[in-house]
Amino acid sequence: MEYHNGFIYESTGRRGTSSIRKTELKTGKVLQKVDVDDRYFGEGMTIFNNKIYFLTWESKMGFIYNLETFEKEGQFSYGNSRQGWGMTHNGTELIKSDGSSKLWFLDPETKEEKRSINIYTDKNGIKDLNELEYINGKIYANYWKEPLIAIINPDNGVVEGIANLAGLQEQIIKEEKITDGDAVLNGIAYDQENNRIFVTGKLWGKLYEIKLVKK
């Protein structure tokens, strides 16, 4: 998920239902959509230089779409990263998660994985990093199947903070009577101009604006 010029852009998953879409922020109305080939399980995406970079899960293949028309303009294969999970960028590099404790930095021109960093707290490494968002010089990352967001130093991989959204996840699951075990927190978007963070989850019917308060 990504906020761009007043709109929310999302990639959706599962084979046969994967897509990229542009939606209105206030209403959730889908304004533009392109379906992904049924062979692919859609995962993370990011917008960089007026292009959408979109990952697939196990196919080791990413796609590039025109931001305005949603026409596919190219594709790229993964290097040493094992799968495609989440994606963001820092203004000069694409940043990719692959479900491990590593984050990968890609050259946006060649799509080559230039380097990787291991992510860890003061106690242990963190695995299953998923959706990513770059916010004010830090990488925010969802933990897979945990209601947590890690705030990561991109220079050394140190987790400098953890946002606990367990209460929000419990609330939405209860309100919407969701029973699917995949309905976990997994979506972060940032509106830099207005300093707003948005979050959502798989199968959630709502998008939330949150403010993080340090304990």
Side-chain angles (χ1 to χ4, degrees), residues 160-174:
E160 298 182 348
I162 296 176
N164 188 336
L165 276 66
L168 177 60
Q169 181 167 290
E170 291 172 4
Q171 174 185 326
I172 193 68
I173 289 175
K174 182 178 180 181

Side-chain angles (χ1 to χ4, degrees), residues 10 15 50 55 73 110 117 136 149 153 161 163 184 189 193 208:
E10 297 176 294
R15 289 184 179 85
N50 293 316
L55 300 175
E73 295 184 343
T110 66
I117 56 173
N136 295 327
I149 296 174
N153 185 318
V184 295
E193 181 180 356
Y208 289 85

Side-chain angles (χ1 to χ4, degrees), residues 38-163:
D38 289 352
R39 294 176 293 168
Y40 300 111
F41 190 119
E43 282 289 345
M45 55 77 63
T46 194
I47 296 169
F48 183 77
N49 285 345
N50 293 316
K51 298 184 186 299
I52 298 172
Y53 292 82
F54 167 78
L55 300 175
T56 63
W57 179 27
E58 295 177 312
S59 303
K60 293 187 75 71
M61 182 70 66
F63 298 103
I64 305 165
Y65 294 86
N66 183 287
L67 178 61
E68 299 300 324
T69 65
F70 276 27
E71 292 182 1
K72 189 164 69 174
E73 295 184 343
Q75 63 186 46
F76 59 97
S77 57
Y78 306 161
N80 293 318
S81 60
R82 65 181 195 179
Q83 294 177 347
W85 285 46
M87 182 164 254
T88 187
H89 69 86
N90 60 12
T92 58
E93 301 166 299
L94 302 175
I95 306 172
K96 175 182 181 291
S97 64
D98 66 352
S100 70
S101 61
K102 287 185 175 182
L103 292 180
W104 301 81
F105 293 76
L106 284 66
D107 183 315
E109 295 298 325
T110 66
K111 319 308 177 295
E112 179 185 356
E113 293 169 358
K114 295 161 41 178
R115 59 191 174 92
S116 65
I117 56 173
N118 288 296
I119 312 305
Y120 56 95
T121 67
D122 58 341
K123 296 179 181 178
N124 52 260
I126 294 178
K127 63 177 183 177
D128 297 339
L129 294 170
N130 203 356
E131 156 78 338
L132 305 175
E133 184 75 10
Y134 193 81
I135 302 176
N136 295 327
K138 308 295 180 183
I139 301 171
Y140 285 56
N142 282 127
Y143 292 46
W144 171 235
K145 293 204 171 180
E146 296 289 345
L148 307 172
I149 296 174
I151 302 171
I152 300 165
N153 185 318
D155 296 325
N156 54 27
V158 171
V159 175
E160 298 182 348
I162 296 176

Side-chain angles (χ1 to χ4, degrees), residues 186-198:
N186 193 46
I188 314 167
Y190 181 58
D191 171 8
Q192 184 173 13
E193 181 180 356
N194 298 294
N195 193 28
R196 297 185 293 176
I197 298 175
F198 301 103

